[in-house]
């Protein structure tokens, strides 16, 4: 089969469903956007910058809001020629310390041809920083030196001057960089250069650097990922007082979805270093509908989707804790399904399938991440479930667990530990726990499988690689019970089992 273009793809512009797409309008975040504006307004007003910390659970629009506001500010600053702002955005997702974050940020500038001039100005003669080896303080020195060079003088001014020089008949043999240098070193013999400069400023309406305030705002997204080694968050606001920078007004905006991290920051930051805290609330179903309708309209062709898909996707997204990303992802997956089926319309059924698939993936991941002991506990509960013996108490499933852990792991835990495992798995949504208090001295809870997906559990158990060296964590007894139930339950399950094998 060769490739031919799908003729009736439901997508008008699938790009708008991508993670990094910034919509024309950020909906349902008026309060949050206002608070970000308040922080950035300081720059417009040419006043002291404010440091901020943005908190909110996943998918509440933190990243999109800050990028949206940054864009808005950059557009607005075109109207004011006495401030110059640079935004440094760094996602810390795959970084584990401030040291690594500092290297990543420094290199993003060192490798950017737009900032070629840094190599001439810096006291560092390599193309980029190595990912390890340099002392931490040295890395920070370079980073702050870079920040201090992200100025109007070295960027906009330099290029405006260059353009003016090329146009002007004033002089032929002077480069913009010579003029800039002459400006900073005051000396008698510079007077000619300074005259040229002044003429150029006047003739081409160029703002001299001394009349411009430089702001550098560093956005550290998912900053909780750098854990407790997060000193960069504190070093940036202090860098001016500590004389690490002198040309710029630095500020930091930290973003996180980790409530524990937020609390730890509050206890760490002293009063001299206050971060303005902005909290992003969970989306309600109406807000999600607005967001998803906006996306669906842009993503799909006009008659290529049922209107009901957005309320449905919103309901699923709301169940996921109000996560807009989840809803957008459902639209994207539903569209792909429709396309694959050559269906001309994306329907509710496609959204449902997409949701079920995502849910299965999530459960698979959670199950896969369990410890060996926990997996064996799950196997035991599944065994009883297959025999119609759930909900089951810890006491009743314990002998089964003991048999399995003894044969597969060579060791078993005391009932109390097993109770912890059961509790954890019910918190993860793998087991359903119900209160079955029967009186003093009796165990209080009974457990059954929550999302009954036997195939998935069997797959995870079979793929496990326990430390003891035995292959998999699949007890023969469980396989037998599964086959038995598949037979009695008719062909459907049997077919599913075969497809699994
Ligand atoms: N109010 C909104 N209007 C339009 N699109 C939105 C809105 N809120 C979120 N989105 C979209 O939902 C997705 C998730 O949003 P975003 O990445 O900003 O979440 P987040 O709060 O940064 O989550 P995390 O903590 O996981 O990083 C993005 O695709 C974003 O464009
Ligand atoms: Mg984010």
């Amino acid at each position: 089969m060769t490739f031919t273009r799908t003729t009736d793809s439901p997508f008008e512009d699938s790009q708008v469903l991508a993670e990094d797409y910034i919509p024309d309008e950020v909906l349902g975040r008026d309060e949050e956007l206002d608070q970000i504006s308040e922080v950035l307004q300081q720059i417009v007003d040419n006043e002291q910058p404010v440091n901020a910390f943005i908190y909110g659970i996943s998918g509440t629009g933190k990243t999109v809001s800050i990028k949206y506001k940054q864009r808005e500010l950059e557009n607005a600053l075109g109207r004011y020629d006495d401030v110059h702002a640079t935004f440094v955005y760094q996602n810390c997702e795959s970084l584990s310390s401030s040291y690594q974050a500092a290297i990543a940020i420094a290199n993003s500038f060192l490798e950017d041809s737009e900032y070629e001039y840094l190599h001439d100005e810096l006291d560092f003669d390599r193309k980029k920083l190595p990912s390890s080896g340099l002392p931490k303080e040295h890395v920070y020195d370079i980073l702050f030196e870079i920040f201090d060079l992200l100025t109007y003088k070295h960027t906009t001014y330099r290029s405006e001057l260059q353009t003016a020089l090329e146009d002007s008949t004033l002089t032929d043999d002077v480069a913009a960089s010579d003029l800039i240098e002459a400006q900073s070193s005051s000396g008698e013999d510079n007077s000619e250069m300074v005259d040229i400069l002044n003429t150029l400023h006047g003739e081409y309406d160029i703002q001299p650097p001394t009349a411009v305030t430089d702001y550098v705002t560093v956005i550290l997204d998912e900053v909780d990922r750098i854990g407790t080694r997060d000193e960069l968050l504190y070093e940036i606001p202090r860098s001016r007082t500590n004389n690490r920078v002198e040309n710029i007004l630095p500020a930091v905006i930290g973003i996180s979805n980790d409530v524990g991290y937020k609390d730890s920051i509050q206890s760490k930051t002293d009063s001299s270093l206050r971060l303005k805290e902005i909290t992003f609330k969970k989306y309600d179903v109406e807000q999600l509908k607005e967001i998803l309708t906006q996306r669906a309209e842009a993503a799909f062709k006009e008659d290529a989707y049922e209107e009901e898909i957005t309320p449905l996707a919103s309901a699923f997204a709301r169940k996921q804790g109000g996560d807009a990303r989840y809803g957008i992802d459902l639209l994207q997956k539903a569209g792909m399904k429709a396309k694959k089926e050559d269906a001309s319309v994306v329907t509710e059924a496609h959204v449902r399938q997409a949701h079920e698939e995502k849910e299965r993936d999530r459960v698979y991941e959670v199950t896969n991440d369990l410890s060996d002991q926990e997996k064996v506990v799950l196997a035991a509960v599944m065994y009883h479930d297959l025999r119609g013996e759930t909900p089951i108490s810890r006491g009743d499933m314990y002998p089964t667990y003991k048999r399995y852990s003894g044969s597969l792991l060579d060791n078993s835990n005391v009932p109390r530990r097993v109770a912890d495992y059961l509790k954890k798995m019910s918190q993860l949504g793998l087991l359903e726990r119900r209160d079955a208090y029967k009186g003093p001295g009796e165990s209080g809870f009974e457990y059954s499988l929550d999302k009954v997906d036997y195939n998935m559990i069997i797959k995870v158990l079979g793929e496990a690689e326990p430390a003891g060296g035995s292959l998999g964590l699949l007890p023969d007894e469980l396989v037998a019970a599964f086959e038995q139930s598949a037979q009695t339950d008719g062909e459907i399950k049997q077919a599913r089992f075969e497809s699994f094998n």
Side-chain angles (χ1 to χ4, degrees):
M1 193 191 100
T2 63
F3 290 105
T4 46
R5 177 157 308 157
T6 311
T7 43
D8 54 354
S9 163
F11 291 110
E12 173 73 42
D13 180 4
S14 60
Q15 174 58 29
V16 306
L17 299 175
E19 172 75 30
D20 56 357
Y21 173 77
I22 306 175
D24 293 336
E25 213 183 338
V26 172
L27 303 163
R29 293 284 80 156
D30 292 353
E31 271 173 48
E32 290 83 356
L33 291 172
D34 273 355
Q35 294 194 52
I36 296 177
S37 298
E38 212 180 301
V39 171
L40 300 183
Q41 181 65 32
Q42 291 299 103
I43 300 178
V44 180
D45 293 341
N46 202 344
E47 286 172 9
Q48 275 302 311
V50 169
N51 303 294
F53 183 76
I54 299 180
Y55 166 76
I57 60 169
S58 202
T60 47
K62 300 180 295 297
T63 301
V64 73
S65 296
I66 195 77
K67 291 196 164 170
Y68 175 81
K69 276 288 156 192
Q70 170 188 339
R71 196 170 63 184
E72 213 177 66
L73 179 82
E74 281 167 345
N75 289 337
L77 286 187
R79 282 182 278 136
Y80 306 99
D81 57 6
D82 58 349
V83 287
H84 174 260
T86 307
F87 285 90
V88 179
Y89 175 86
Q90 179 64 47
N91 191 310
C92 305
E93 192 184 0
S94 55
L95 306 170
S96 60
S97 65
S98 284
Y99 177 74
Q100 285 184 358
I103 291 173
I105 296 171
N107 283 343
S108 69
F109 284 100
L110 292 174
E111 293 177 306
D112 186 338
S113 59
E114 221 182 293
Y115 294 93
E116 191 67 46
Y117 69 89
L118 289 172
H119 293 276
D120 302 328
E121 305 285 337
L122 284 174
D123 211 7
F124 177 75
D125 52 13
R126 284 194 253 184
K127 277 214 157 58
K128 59 180 224 174
L129 302 185
S131 58
S132 63
L134 290 181
K136 186 153 105 179
E137 278 311 302
H138 188 36
V139 168
Y140 285 174
D141 284 345
I142 293 171
L143 180 70
F144 284 106
E145 220 185 312
I146 290 176
F147 287 163
D148 216 18
L149 286 162
L150 300 179
T151 53
Y152 166 72
K153 182 167 108 179
H154 285 101
T155 55
T156 318
Y157 180 67
R158 187 194 293 263
S159 68
E160 283 180 4
L161 212 53
Q162 191 63 49
T163 316
L165 267 180
E166 279 160 20
D167 182 68
S168 155
T169 50
L170 265 180
T171 168
D172 278 339
D173 48 22
V174 184
S177 45
D178 300 330
L179 291 173
I180 294 175
E181 211 167 298
Q183 193 173 46
S184 33
S185 59
S186 60
E188 279 288 302
D189 43 335
N190 279 332
S191 63
E192 196 192 333
M193 296 271 210
V194 172
D195 284 346
I196 296 178
L197 263 180
N198 288 337
T199 316
L200 287 175
H201 289 165
E203 257 179 43
Y204 293 88
D205 194 20
I206 300 173
Q207 189 80 333
T210 44
V212 176
T213 314
D214 285 290
Y215 292 85
V216 173
T217 306
V218 184
I219 302 166
L220 297 176
D221 203 351
E222 308 197 27
V223 61
D224 51 280
R225 299 299 183 97
I226 61 178
T228 49
R229 293 149 85 190
D230 57 358
E231 62 274 7
L232 198 53
L233 195 57
Y234 312 101
E235 288 296 329
I236 292 167
R238 285 199 195 101
S239 57
R240 184 133 173 143
T241 352
N242 291 352
N243 296 320
R244 289 197 111 130
V245 295
E246 54 181 14
N247 301 321
I248 59 148
L249 293 177
V252 73
I253 299 180
I255 305 180
S256 169
N257 59 24
D258 182 335
V259 69
Y261 183 76
K262 182 192 85 164
D263 295 342
S264 81
I265 282 219
Q266 276 172 336
S267 57
K268 241 194 280 183
T269 32
D270 53 49
S271 53
S272 68
L273 202 163
R274 203 168 287 132
L275 302 171
K276 178 185 161 63
E277 193 176 306
I278 302 174
T279 304
F280 275 56
K281 289 199 256 342
K282 257 188 207 176
Y283 285 122
D284 61 30
V285 115
E286 288 309 314
Q287 290 167 324
L288 289 165
K289 260 191 238 168
E290 246 191 297
I291 295 168
L292 296 183
T293 305
Q294 174 206 45
R295 286 302 164 98
E297 276 170 5
F300 298 126
K301 291 176 185 148
E302 207 177 324
D303 298 320
Y305 67 102
E306 291 179 355
E307 266 180 25
E308 293 74 24
I309 67 168
T310 51
L312 183 65
S314 309
F316 285 138
R318 174 63 200 180
K319 264 203 217 145
Q320 263 347 284
D323 183 344
R325 183 183 291 114
Y326 190 90
I328 292 173
D329 204 33
L330 282 183
L331 294 182
Q332 199 269 345
K333 290 207 159 58
M336 292 299 284
K337 282 188 183 303
K339 184 166 112 168
K340 193 169 160 207
E341 288 171 11
D342 274 333
S344 52
V345 175
V346 187
T347 63
E348 280 186 279
H350 293 126
V351 173
R352 268 182 219 288
Q353 284 166 23
H355 169 66
E356 277 161 22
E357 237 164 63
K358 277 173 75 75
E359 185 59 17
R360 245 200 323 273
D361 288 350
R362 187 191 71 86
V363 173
Y364 177 78
E365 254 170 54
V366 170
T367 313
N368 211 15
D369 280 349
L370 296 174
S371 70
D372 291 344
Q373 287 288 350
E374 288 161 347
K375 282 178 186 155
V376 170
V377 170
L378 188 65
V381 177
M382 173 170 158
Y383 173 75
H384 290 288
D385 196 71
L386 283 167
R387 292 164 48 110
E389 295 162 0
T390 51
I392 190 165
S393 69
R394 183 193 66 196
D396 289 343
M397 58 75 67
Y398 187 74
T400 311
Y401 155 76
K402 213 166 154 58
R403 254 193 336 273
Y404 292 176
S405 62
S407 66
L408 296 163
L409 294 171
D410 273 347
N411 68 339
S412 51
N413 283 305
V414 293
R416 181 167 227 105
R417 287 298 295 280
V418 173
D420 292 340
Y421 299 149
L422 289 165
K423 184 174 166 199
K424 177 179 158 193
M425 282 191 273
S426 60
Q427 283 164 347
L428 288 171
L430 298 175
L431 296 181
E432 200 174 322
R433 179 160 100 147
R434 71 165 203 203
D435 209 339
Y437 183 69
K438 297 193 190 89
E442 300 284 329
S443 157
F445 297 103
E446 285 181 346
Y447 298 87
S448 45
L449 292 178
D450 187 355
K451 307 252 160 17
V452 185
D453 191 340
Y454 297 131
N455 289 285
M456 195 268 309
I457 298 176
I458 288 202
K459 185 163 150 57
V460 171
L461 293 173
E463 285 170 356
E465 291 171 11
S470 71
L471 228 67
L473 285 175
L474 202 52
D476 294 340
E477 207 183 317
L478 180 67
V479 177
F482 183 73
E483 282 171 344
Q484 175 72 32
S485 101
Q487 262 162 27
T488 48
D489 280 12
E491 286 170 280
I492 303 172
K493 269 190 184 163
Q494 184 62 35
R496 280 171 63 196
F497 184 56
E498 274 162 9
S499 76
F500 158 72
N501 278 304

